Every structure is written in C-alpha cells, then in structure tokens.
C-alpha cells in the first residue's frame, strides 16, 4: 500500500506549488521521490522525480522542496491529507 502523505497546494496564477510530505519506513542510504505525469514530477520517470529529504528531527517523515507544476484550464488537482 502507498504511504500516508500530505500534499499542500499553493496557487500561483497558472501554476501551483506543491510540498509533498510522506511518512516512510526507510533504511540508511535509501531515498524517497515523488513522480507523476507532469514534467516537474519526472513524467513518470523515477530517475527524474524530485527527491524528498529528511533529517534526524523529521524522520520518518520525508518532505520535498516546493515543486512548481503548470496547470491547464479545467485541470483537476487532487490533494490528500
């Protein structure tokens, strides 16, 4: 099953900034990324996906920097909390 996560939307004209945060049980040396159909999310290519980061105060949560996604008229955006 997919990890639980929070996705925050920040509208900015015809684009939106997303900050992804997920709680994932990882081992030292593993990384976490987020991918999707938008080029800013790697166009479904995990090697191009934005990487999330964590530290000793945040772990086991991982968080992305703000990812700017271009929106098209009528596009639906789903956010999960």
């Amino acid at each position: 099953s997919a990890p639980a996560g929070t996705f925050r939307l920040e509208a900015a004209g015809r684009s939106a900034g997303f900050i992804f945060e997920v709680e994932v049980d990882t081992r030292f040396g593993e990384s976490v990324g987020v991918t999707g159909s938008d080029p800013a999310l790697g166009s479904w290519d995990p090697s191009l996906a934005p990487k999330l980061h964590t530290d000793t105060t945040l772990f086991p949560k991982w968080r992305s920097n703000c990812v700017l996604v271009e929106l098209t008229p009528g596009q639906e955006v789903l956010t999960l909390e």
Side-chain angles (χ1 to χ4, degrees), residues 25-50:
D25 184 28
T26 56
R27 300 194 191 294
F28 183 77
E30 293 182 317
S31 62
V32 177
V34 60
T35 190
S37 61
D38 192 88
L41 298 175
S43 300
W44 296 114
D45 182 345
S47 69
L48 301 175

Side-chain angles (χ1 to χ4, degrees), residues 2 4 8 10 22 24 26 28 31 33 35 42-44 50-51 53-54 57 61 63-66 71 76-77 79:
R8 188 173 69 221
E10 298 174 7
V22 294
V24 183
T26 56
F28 183 77
S31 62
T35 190
S43 300
W44 296 114
K51 303 299 183 232
H53 60 272
T54 192
T57 60
K61 292 182 180 177
R63 185 176 297 146
S64 72
N65 293 326
C66 188
L71 301 176
E76 292 184 40
V77 176
T79 59

